[in-house]
């Protein structure tokens, strides 16, 4: 039985995005709403001979120039991306780190794999050159909490600092966890979302074996095709998406511009399979209904859904059927993964930020590469071009390997 309680509307006052679609919120939003074909999908030398040898990358970002060489060396790439996104989000929120109450600032960042590239690098060093060549930085750089820790150090945030790891739902669960911290009064400000950069040969070889990723090597830019009849798997990407969330009275007191609200959160587990979603979609339905009850919204109130939409054969049909069962056929649905790649633990943070922008601009990004919609889909998926709409409420869905599900309800600022 779902417990109903007074909705808590966490104010979203800042956004930070670093994705294959663009470095910065403005650049990412332009790409996902204006471009037709993703451009940052590249064959990678380190993936040569794998069935999937391509990924979405942030090719033009010089992290050493942005962060400084010394600072960069203290972080794995996923943490570097998180720090860059956090700086943008905090600046966007108009916060001054020199004067804020640092003990009342929480940081909650999700990641599925943490510092996997450095892990692989150090394993090779151990095997080839022995234990004395293993870096003493191995433990702090590879742990999943590295992104949250790095952001706290960079910004001087001294409140609750949490790392969430629930596979591909990590970023959404991080936002939901921040919502709960703010509701309880554990902090006044929370920087929340996800960060991931796990484009390693080992991981991609594994997901190739699981047959989760696309093998369209001849045309990688068209490989990720959510909800398309010819989809054959996702394409991995890297990135970070973070939100600054505040208790509403805190945002009002400082005269902050509120871009949207996180108004409801629900999470669940399928308790079904280690690698496959529940074919009936019961777990994701539970998460969605819990989030809607938390926000006190009805199906008719939801005008837009940013779906998990991975481009896998099973997930897209299960998710679409559940969305129709719960929400009907009126919400405008999209998946933005064809423009950013599937960024695993970062996906929920990136896509929640894009949902905030959709509410703010009253514009739904199209689902790229959706040429022929799967006829089994009972929902309306926006494709070809961005579609204007009128909606005050939107939903962000997330699913993760191991049966982890999360749903967020966002409302206009």
């Amino acid at each position: 039985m779902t417990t109903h309680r007074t909705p808590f509307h966490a104010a979203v006052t800042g956004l930070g995005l670093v994705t294959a679609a663009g470095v910065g919120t403005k650049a990412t939003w332009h790409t996902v709403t204006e471009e037709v074909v993703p451009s940052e999908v590249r064959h990678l030398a380190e993936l040569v001979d794998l069935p999937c040898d391509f990924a979405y990358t942030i090719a033009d970002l010089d992290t050493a120039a942005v962060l400084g060489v010394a600072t960069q060396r203290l972080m794995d790439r996923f943490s570097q991306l998180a720090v860059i996104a956090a700086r943008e989000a905090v600046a966007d929120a108009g916060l001054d780190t020199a004067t804020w109450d640092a003990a009342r600032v929480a940081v909650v960042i999700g990641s599925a794999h943490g510092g996997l590239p450095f892990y692989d690098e150090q394993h090779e060093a151990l095997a080839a050159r022995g234990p004395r060549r293993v870096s003493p930085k191995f433990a702090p750089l590879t742990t999943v909490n590295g992104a949250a820790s790095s952001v706290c150090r960079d910004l001087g945030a001294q409140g609750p600092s949490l790392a969430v790891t629930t596979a591909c739902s990590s970023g959404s669960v991080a936002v939901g966890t921040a919502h709960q911290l703010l509701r309880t009064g554990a902090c006044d400000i929370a920087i929340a979302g996800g960060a991931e950069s796990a484009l390693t040969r080992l991981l991609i070889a594994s997901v190739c074996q699981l047959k989760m990723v696309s093998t369209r090597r001849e045309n990688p830019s068209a490989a990720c095709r959510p909800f398309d009849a010819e989809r054959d798997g996702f394409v991995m990407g890297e990135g970070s998406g973070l939100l600054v969330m505040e208790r509403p009275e805190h945002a009002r007191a400082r005269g902050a511009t509120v871009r949207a609200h996180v108004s409801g959160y629900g999470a669940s587990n399928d308790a079904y399979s280690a690698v496959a979603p529940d074919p009936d979609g019961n777990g994701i339905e539970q998460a969605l209904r819990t989030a809607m009850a938390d926000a006190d919204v009805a199906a008719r109130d939801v005008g837009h859904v940013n779906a998990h939409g991975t481009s896998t054969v099973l997930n897209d049909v299960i998710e679409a059927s559940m969305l129709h069962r719960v929400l009907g056929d009126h919400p405008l649905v999209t998946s933005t993964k064809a423009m950013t790649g599937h960024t695993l633990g970062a996906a929920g943070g990136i896509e929640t930020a894009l949902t905030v922008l959709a509410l703010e601009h009253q514009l739904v990004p199209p689902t790229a590469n959706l040429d022929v919609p799967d006829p089994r889909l009972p929902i309306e998926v926006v494709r070809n071009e961005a579609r204007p709409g009128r909606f005050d409420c939107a939903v962000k869905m997330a699913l993760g390997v191991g049966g982890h599900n999360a749903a967020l309800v966002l409302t206009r600022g």
Side-chain angles (χ1 to χ4, degrees):
M1 179 177 179
T2 301
T3 301
H4 291 266
R5 53 181 173 174
T6 303
F8 174 77
H9 304 284
V12 179
T13 57
L15 300 175
L17 286 168
V18 185
T19 74
V23 176
T25 299
K26 184 177 180 179
T28 297
W29 179 246
H30 171 80
T31 298
V32 301
T33 55
E34 299 293 336
E35 301 296 330
V36 178
V37 178
S39 60
E40 298 301 322
V41 194
R42 292 183 168 89
H43 293 280
L44 301 179
E46 58 267 36
L47 304 180
V48 67
D49 297 330
L50 293 182
C52 176
D53 65 351
F54 52 92
Y56 288 72
T57 62
I58 307 169
D60 299 326
L61 175 62
D62 185 344
T63 56
V66 175
L67 300 172
V69 174
T71 299
Q72 180 202 36
R73 287 176 177 168
L74 296 175
M75 309 176 204
D76 191 80
R77 184 168 171 84
F78 86 112
S79 297
Q80 297 167 12
L81 299 179
V83 168
I84 294 169
R87 288 180 180 181
E88 183 191 16
V90 167
D92 182 45
L95 289 164
D96 184 351
T97 60
T99 60
W100 68 10
D101 184 351
R104 299 289 297 167
V105 181
V107 175
V108 189
I109 300 179
S111 179
H113 294 284
L116 197 56
F118 194 65
Y119 189 105
D120 283 4
E121 176 188 314
Q122 292 305 300
H123 181 269
E124 291 173 4
L126 175 64
R129 294 179 286 171
R132 291 185 177 275
R133 301 312 298 266
V134 173
S135 171
K137 298 184 292 185
F138 174 80
L141 266 65
T142 57
T143 52
V144 173
N145 72 301
S149 174
S150 297
V151 168
C152 286
R153 290 197 309 274
D154 189 73
L155 300 177
Q158 297 177 328
S161 173
L162 305 175
V164 172
T165 180
T166 54
C168 302
S169 66
S170 298
S172 292
V173 173
V175 173
T177 301
H179 180 262
Q180 293 175 331
L181 287 172
L182 291 162
R183 187 203 295 265
T184 63
C187 57
D188 294 322
I189 301 167
I191 300 164
E196 199 84 78
S197 183
L199 305 179
T200 71
R201 187 174 179 83
L202 179 63
L203 179 60
I204 294 183
S206 174
V207 291
C208 285
Q209 290 290 86
L210 286 169
K211 301 189 185 305
M212 289 182 172
V213 292
S214 174
T215 56
R216 296 172 187 265
R217 296 169 65 181
E218 72 286 352
N219 189 9
S221 293
C224 183
R225 40 199 323 110
F227 302 117
D228 190 85
E230 298 298 321
R231 68 191 182 279
D232 70 329
F234 65 79
V235 180
M236 283 178 57
E238 60 176 349
S240 181
L242 297 177
L243 289 70
V244 170
M245 300 162 57
E246 301 183 49
R247 291 179 58 80
E249 58 268 30
H250 186 274
R252 281 195 301 270
R254 69 183 191 86
T257 298
V258 177
R259 306 190 71 158
H261 293 96
V262 177
S263 299
Y265 167 58
S268 69
N269 195 285
D270 289 346
Y272 173 78
S273 166
V275 294
D278 176 357
D280 296 322
N282 294 324
I284 51 175
E285 178 175 347
Q286 179 183 326
L288 176 55
R289 291 192 184 279
T290 299
M292 291 170 64
D294 190 33
D296 194 22
V297 299
R300 64 179 178 275
D301 300 318
V302 179
H304 167 46
V305 177
N306 187 302
H308 190 59
T310 55
S311 184
T312 54
V313 175
L314 287 177
N315 174 87
D316 288 8
V317 172
I318 295 168
E319 183 180 15
S321 298
M322 182 281 299
L323 289 173
H324 184 265
R325 186 164 67 241
V326 177
L327 300 176
D329 57 9
H330 69 279
L332 298 176
V333 179
T334 192
S335 169
T336 47
K337 284 185 172 68
M339 299 306 292
T340 64
H342 188 357
T343 55
L344 308 181
I350 291 168
E351 292 157 16
T352 300
L354 293 175
T355 307
V356 169
L357 291 165
L359 281 163
E360 191 173 60
H361 293 279
Q362 293 288 280
L363 185 68
V364 176
T367 303
N369 294 331
L370 178 50
D371 298 331
V372 180
D374 188 327
R376 296 172 295 172
L377 302 179
I379 57 173
E380 182 177 6
V381 181
V382 176
R383 63 191 185 107
N384 298 325
E385 61 183 7
R387 188 181 305 181
R390 297 185 64 182
F391 48 94
D392 294 327
C393 178
V395 162
K396 169 68 203 127
M397 297 301 307
L399 291 73
V401 168
H404 299 280
N405 307 297
L408 297 164
V409 173
L410 293 96
T411 51
R412 291 185 75 180

